[in-house]
PDB file of all heavy atoms in Angstrom:
ATOM      1  N   ASP B 317     -82.873-104.607  55.470  1.00 98.00           N
ATOM      2  CA  ASP B 317     -84.004-103.704  55.213  1.00 98.00           C
ATOM      3  C   ASP B 317     -85.342-104.437  55.127  1.00 98.00           C
ATOM      4  O   ASP B 317     -86.388-103.872  55.456  1.00 98.00           O
ATOM      5  CB  ASP B 317     -83.777-102.940  53.899  1.00 98.00           C
ATOM      6  CG  ASP B 317     -82.694-101.882  54.052  1.00 98.00           C
ATOM      7  OD1 ASP B 317     -82.330-101.571  55.200  1.00 98.00           O
ATOM      8  OD2 ASP B 317     -82.201-101.399  53.019  1.00 98.00           O
ATOM      9  N   VAL B 318     -85.306-105.677  54.639  1.00 97.00           N
ATOM     10  CA  VAL B 318     -86.575-106.402  54.514  1.00 97.00           C
ATOM     11  C   VAL B 318     -87.105-106.720  55.916  1.00 97.00           C
ATOM     12  O   VAL B 318     -88.289-106.495  56.219  1.00 97.00           O
ATOM     13  CB  VAL B 318     -86.396-107.697  53.683  1.00 97.00           C
ATOM     14  CG1 VAL B 318     -87.723-108.437  53.583  1.00 97.00           C
ATOM     15  CG2 VAL B 318     -85.884-107.367  52.286  1.00 97.00           C
ATOM     16  N   GLN B 319     -86.224-107.194  56.775  1.00 97.00           N
ATOM     17  CA  GLN B 319     -86.651-107.493  58.141  1.00 97.00           C
ATOM     18  C   GLN B 319     -87.075-106.208  58.862  1.00 97.00           C
ATOM     19  O   GLN B 319     -88.011-106.204  59.656  1.00 97.00           O
ATOM     20  CB  GLN B 319     -85.525-108.205  58.915  1.00 97.00           C
ATOM     21  CG  GLN B 319     -85.151-109.574  58.358  1.00 97.00           C
ATOM     22  CD  GLN B 319     -86.309-110.576  58.411  1.00 97.00           C
ATOM     23  OE1 GLN B 319     -87.168-110.590  57.526  1.00 97.00           O
ATOM     24  NE2 GLN B 319     -86.349-111.401  59.439  1.00 97.00           N
ATOM     25  N   LEU B 320     -86.371-105.120  58.559  1.00 97.00           N
ATOM     26  CA  LEU B 320     -86.723-103.811  59.136  1.00 97.00           C
ATOM     27  C   LEU B 320     -88.172-103.451  58.784  1.00 97.00           C
ATOM     28  O   LEU B 320     -88.958-103.044  59.640  1.00 97.00           O
ATOM     29  CB  LEU B 320     -85.772-102.738  58.594  1.00 97.00           C
ATOM     30  CG  LEU B 320     -86.114-101.282  58.904  1.00 97.00           C
ATOM     31  CD1 LEU B 320     -85.716-100.916  60.320  1.00 97.00           C
ATOM     32  CD2 LEU B 320     -85.421-100.336  57.924  1.00 97.00           C
ATOM     33  N   ALA B 321     -88.506-103.624  57.509  1.00 97.00           N
ATOM     34  CA  ALA B 321     -89.860-103.283  57.057  1.00 97.00           C
ATOM     35  C   ALA B 321     -90.891-104.240  57.652  1.00 97.00           C
ATOM     36  O   ALA B 321     -91.990-103.833  58.040  1.00 97.00           O
ATOM     37  CB  ALA B 321     -89.917-103.313  55.533  1.00 97.00           C
ATOM     38  N   ARG B 322     -90.533-105.533  57.732  1.00 96.00           N
ATOM     39  CA  ARG B 322     -91.480-106.520  58.271  1.00 96.00           C
ATOM     40  C   ARG B 322     -91.816-106.230  59.735  1.00 96.00           C
ATOM     41  O   ARG B 322     -92.978-106.226  60.136  1.00 96.00           O
ATOM     42  CB  ARG B 322     -90.880-107.929  58.166  1.00 96.00           C
ATOM     43  CG  ARG B 322     -90.962-108.512  56.774  1.00 96.00           C
ATOM     44  CD  ARG B 322     -90.211-109.833  56.699  1.00 96.00           C
ATOM     45  NE  ARG B 322     -90.463-110.474  55.408  1.00 96.00           N
ATOM     46  CZ  ARG B 322     -89.658-111.357  54.854  1.00 96.00           C
ATOM     47  NH1 ARG B 322     -88.543-111.728  55.468  1.00 96.00           N
ATOM     48  NH2 ARG B 322     -89.950-111.894  53.685  1.00 96.00           N
ATOM     49  N   VAL B 323     -90.780-105.996  60.524  1.00 97.00           N
ATOM     50  CA  VAL B 323     -91.025-105.756  61.952  1.00 97.00           C
ATOM     51  C   VAL B 323     -91.794-104.441  62.134  1.00 97.00           C
ATOM     52  O   VAL B 323     -92.727-104.362  62.935  1.00 97.00           O
ATOM     53  CB  VAL B 323     -89.695-105.762  62.744  1.00 97.00           C
ATOM     54  CG1 VAL B 323     -89.944-105.372  64.192  1.00 97.00           C
ATOM     55  CG2 VAL B 323     -89.036-107.137  62.666  1.00 97.00           C
ATOM     56  N   GLY B 324     -91.413-103.426  61.362  1.00 97.00           N
ATOM     57  CA  GLY B 324     -92.120-102.144  61.452  1.00 97.00           C
ATOM     58  C   GLY B 324     -93.594-102.320  61.145  1.00 97.00           C
ATOM     59  O   GLY B 324     -94.467-101.776  61.827  1.00 97.00           O
ATOM     60  N   HIS B 325     -93.874-103.113  60.126  1.00 96.00           N
ATOM     61  CA  HIS B 325     -95.270-103.351  59.741  1.00 96.00           C
ATOM     62  C   HIS B 325     -96.017-104.070  60.873  1.00 96.00           C
ATOM     63  O   HIS B 325     -97.181-103.754  61.159  1.00 96.00           O
ATOM     64  CB  HIS B 325     -95.296-104.189  58.465  1.00 96.00           C
ATOM     65  CG  HIS B 325     -96.671-104.435  57.943  1.00 96.00           C
ATOM     66  ND1 HIS B 325     -97.426-103.440  57.363  1.00 96.00           N
ATOM     67  CD2 HIS B 325     -97.432-105.553  57.952  1.00 96.00           C
ATOM     68  CE1 HIS B 325     -98.602-103.956  57.014  1.00 96.00           C
ATOM     69  NE2 HIS B 325     -98.632-105.231  57.363  1.00 96.00           N
ATOM     70  N   ALA B 326     -95.353-105.007  61.527  1.00 96.00           N
ATOM     71  CA  ALA B 326     -96.001-105.731  62.633  1.00 96.00           C
ATOM     72  C   ALA B 326     -96.299-104.769  63.790  1.00 96.00           C
ATOM     73  O   ALA B 326     -97.358-104.862  64.427  1.00 96.00           O
ATOM     74  CB  ALA B 326     -95.100-106.873  63.100  1.00 96.00           C
TER      75      ALA B 326
END
Side-chain angles (χ1 to χ4, degrees):
Chain B
D317 288 346
V318 179
Q319 296 298 83
L320 171 79
R322 282 173 172 156
V323 174
H325 183 71

